[in-house]
Amino acid sequence: MTVITRFAPSPTGTLHVGNLRTALHNWMYAKAHGGRFLLRIDDTDRARSEERHVESIRADLAWLGLALDGEERQSARFDRYEAVFAELVAKQWIYPAYETPDELELRRKVLLGRGLPPIYERSALALTEADRTALEAEGRRPHWRFRLSHIPIVWDDLIRGPQRFDAATMSDPVIRRADGSWLYLLPSVIDDVDMGVTHVVRGEDHVSNTALQLQMFHAMGATPPAFAHEALLTGNEGKLSKRLGSLGVDHFRDAGIESQALVALLARIGTSDPVEPVADAAPLIASFDFGRFGRAPARFDEGELAQLNARIVHQLGFDAVADRLPDGMTSAAWEAIRPNLSTVAEAADWWRVVEGPVDPADLSPDDRAYLAQAAAAAASIDWSADSWPALTGALKETTGRKGKSLFLPLRLALTGREHGPDMATLLPLIGKDRALLRLAASG
Ligand code: GLU
């Protein structure tokens, strides 16, 4: 059996971090099993679906590195939905109902008032052909409900374990509106059947939909896929935050977050495996297992992401970042500067330090005298070898300085800053000419 998963967003907005996580897990599961990962655009709602959102969904998945093995669109499949619908109506799995929203609301209130669960009591099933003709003559158009079999619905969820719903406590779901438009439930089942989806991975907000959809798979005579419902994401505050709903790829990219960092975090939060700074998805995929997912909400912490990002930036090779580095910055410079960065963009700051000009340091007369000596020493060391140990070694001998008083004035004069990349790697990048000028300017 080839594993086939799908990520099925509605193109009514941009993807947020919760959606990205669901997409990632679908992709990882497929890849872990040599399977296929599909993007399914759920665009049956033509008024709210927009092409620019379809494009941003594709771009976001590409940025994350989730290559698609296929793309499907619900709007291209209306004929198929119509055919299955006709078949299920003929088999009486689907029936027309004529209540208006106001009538349904009133009944709901009456039932609740009597302390009863507000379940649709199927009055439409009792209508005769003549009743229906009369209602339609009044100008009423039916909406359509799926007739649930009142049996227990059970499945073994890959994350939540054994699940059980009593269909008798559920309303027959509306699957199609009076204007002919589709609700999400049935088209999704038809697609999953037709596209051979073997595993449905989605948020636990869909658990009760799954109960309903299992009966639809049955009505279509199809074997249902396996289901994995993941606990939702929460923010730092420990509750579902509005902020998370607004964080998408643009936000992360602007903040200098590498896609690998987001992947490494989203792959592991909410599981019993540790979050690790791996720049390569392969080990994450190899260890991916729904059995490791917890039932508690997964906590998404932007601070943790930033730290993870820095640790991943420190591993990135020159080729992976070259197109984002300032002109002229070499592989040696990248490797020298990299350990000091939280984001790749910060490399430009350090490259400015290398290229100069740097602000002359504000120093005591003592240190100025020391730097004048340093300028002289720098003129006579061998710059083709390790210049920093050569310079500091010579100065240690001639001045008797050591530790901070030996190193810090040099760093200040050479870089204009108190902290930064290792001077042993930075000084060769600054080079003899610039170093002499900077030492002389502070001396
Ligand atoms: N379009 C649905 C959603 O975004 C798809 C759910 C599913 O994965 O079946 O919630």
Side-chain angles (χ1 to χ4, degrees), residues 315-329:
Q315 301 169 37
L316 295 177
F318 179 67
D319 291 344
V321 295
D323 58 344
R324 290 185 281 155
L325 297 181
D327 281 349
M329 192 166 165

Side-chain angles (χ1 to χ4, degrees), residues 119-140:
I119 301 168
Y120 177 65
E121 80 312 37
R122 297 183 152 175
S123 30
L125 269 183
L127 297 175
T128 63
E129 192 62 46
D131 295 334
R132 286 200 284 269
T133 311
L135 284 163
E136 294 194 20
E138 268 176 36
R140 293 205 191 208

Side-chain angles (χ1 to χ4, degrees), residues 37-55:
F37 168 66
L38 308 179
L39 171 63
R40 188 185 84 201
I41 301 293
D42 281 8
D43 57 351
T44 56
D45 185 340
R46 282 171 148 161
R48 292 180 56 231
S49 299
E50 291 183 52
E51 203 51 34
R52 67 191 170 106
H53 296 312
V54 175
E55 277 156 25

Side-chain angles (χ1 to χ4, degrees), residues 304-384:
E304 186 180 12
L305 178 61
Q307 282 177 17
L308 192 64
N309 193 58
R311 296 173 68 188
I312 283 175
V313 168
H314 302 166
Q315 301 169 37
L316 295 177
F318 179 67
D319 291 344
V321 295
D323 58 344
R324 290 185 281 155
L325 297 181
D327 281 349
M329 192 166 165
T330 58
S331 167
W334 166 249
E335 267 155 42
I337 286 169
R338 181 175 71 169
N340 258 72
L341 306 178
S342 306
T343 66
V344 172
E346 288 170 6
D349 280 355
W350 289 110
W351 188 241
R352 267 196 298 279
V353 168
V354 168
E355 295 219 297
V358 301
D359 293 332
D362 184 14
L363 295 161
S364 68
D366 225 26
D367 282 343
R368 303 185 84 78
Y370 167 58
L371 288 171
Q373 278 178 287
S380 58
I381 60 165
D382 175 6
W383 282 84
S384 66

Side-chain angles (χ1 to χ4, degrees), residues 6-12 15 19 22 26 40-43 74 184-185 188-189 192 200-203 205-206 209-210 213 227 229:
R6 86 297 193 275
F7 172 55
S10 301
T12 54
L15 300 178
N19 306 136
T22 303
N26 274 286
R40 188 185 84 201
I41 301 293
D42 281 8
D43 57 351
Q74 292 198 321
Y184 147 78
L185 289 168
S188 181
V189 169
D192 287 337
V200 170
V201 181
R202 56 189 182 188
D205 49 333
H206 280 290
N209 285 339
T210 297
Q213 288 179 318
F227 288 88
H229 290 95

Side-chain angles (χ1 to χ4, degrees), residues 87-401:
E87 198 180 311
L88 296 184
V89 170
K91 292 182 175 160
Q92 298 183 358
W93 280 105
I94 291 175
Y95 62 90
Y98 294 83
E99 297 88 352
T100 64
D102 287 347
E103 287 165 355
L104 290 171
E105 184 53 27
L106 189 66
R107 282 195 206 173
R108 235 176 69 83
K109 284 192 178 139
V110 170
L111 288 169
L112 286 171
R114 291 194 202 132
L116 296 169
I119 301 168
Y120 177 65
E121 80 312 37
R122 297 183 152 175
S123 30
L125 269 183
L127 297 175
T128 63
E129 192 62 46
D131 295 334
R132 286 200 284 269
T133 311
L135 284 163
E136 294 194 20
E138 268 176 36
R140 293 205 191 208
R141 310 238 35 90
H143 54 276
W144 302 84
R145 289 185 186 263
F146 182 85
R147 185 177 49 77
L148 293 173
S149 303
H150 285 177
I151 52 170
I153 304 170
V154 295
W155 78 95
D156 205 359
D157 195 277
L158 296 175
I159 294 175
R160 299 165 61 87
Q163 302 293 300
R164 189 186 172 90
F165 280 77
D166 182 357
T169 66
M170 305 175 90
S171 294
D172 289 343
V174 177
I175 51 107
R176 197 172 187 183
R177 300 183 190 89
D179 66 3
S181 64
W182 296 97
L183 284 110
Y184 147 78
L185 289 168
L186 184 61
S188 181
V189 169
I190 299 171
D191 291 345
D192 287 337
V193 171
D194 290 357
M195 294 163 200
V197 169
T198 58
H199 293 77
V200 170
V201 181
R202 56 189 182 188
E204 66 183 8
D205 49 333
H206 280 290
V207 168
S208 58
N209 285 339
T210 297
L212 303 170
Q213 288 179 318
L214 279 170
Q215 291 213 351
M216 297 177 192
F217 282 102
H218 174 70
M220 282 184 71
T223 307
F227 288 88
H229 290 95
E230 14 188 64
L232 301 181
L233 279 188
T234 64
N236 279 339
E237 327 77 49
K239 59 178 171 31
L240 272 174
S241 77
K242 256 201 197 139
R243 176 161 171 76
L244 283 187
S246 68
L247 295 186
V249 163
D250 284 352
H251 164 84
F252 295 118
R253 201 188 299 143
D254 291 350
I257 299 297
E258 301 297 313
S259 60
Q260 294 98 322
L262 195 58
V263 164
L265 187 71
L266 294 178
R268 289 282 177 83
I269 50 173
T271 77
S272 53
D273 290 322
V275 172
E276 289 167 322
V278 289
D280 177 7
L284 299 171
I285 292 171
S287 62
F288 188 80
D289 177 1
F290 287 121
R292 318 281 290 173
F293 279 65
R295 295 282 300 269
R299 185 170 294 214
F300 180 80
D301 178 344
E302 279 193 88
E304 186 180 12
L305 178 61
Q307 282 177 17
L308 192 64
N309 193 58
R311 296 173 68 188
I312 283 175
V313 168
H314 302 166
Q315 301 169 37
L316 295 177
F318 179 67
D319 291 344
V321 295
D323 58 344
R324 290 185 281 155
L325 297 181
D327 281 349
M329 192 166 165
T330 58
S331 167
W334 166 249
E335 267 155 42
I337 286 169
R338 181 175 71 169
N340 258 72
L341 306 178
S342 306
T343 66
V344 172
E346 288 170 6
D349 280 355
W350 289 110
W351 188 241
R352 267 196 298 279
V353 168
V354 168
E355 295 219 297
V358 301
D359 293 332
D362 184 14
L363 295 161
S364 68
D366 225 26
D367 282 343
R368 303 185 84 78
Y370 167 58
L371 288 171
Q373 278 178 287
S380 58
I381 60 165
D382 175 6
W383 282 84
S384 66
D386 289 341
S387 47
W388 179 250
L391 177 65
T392 52
L395 286 168
K396 191 170 178 181
E397 203 136 294
T398 52
T399 65
R401 288 192 178 222

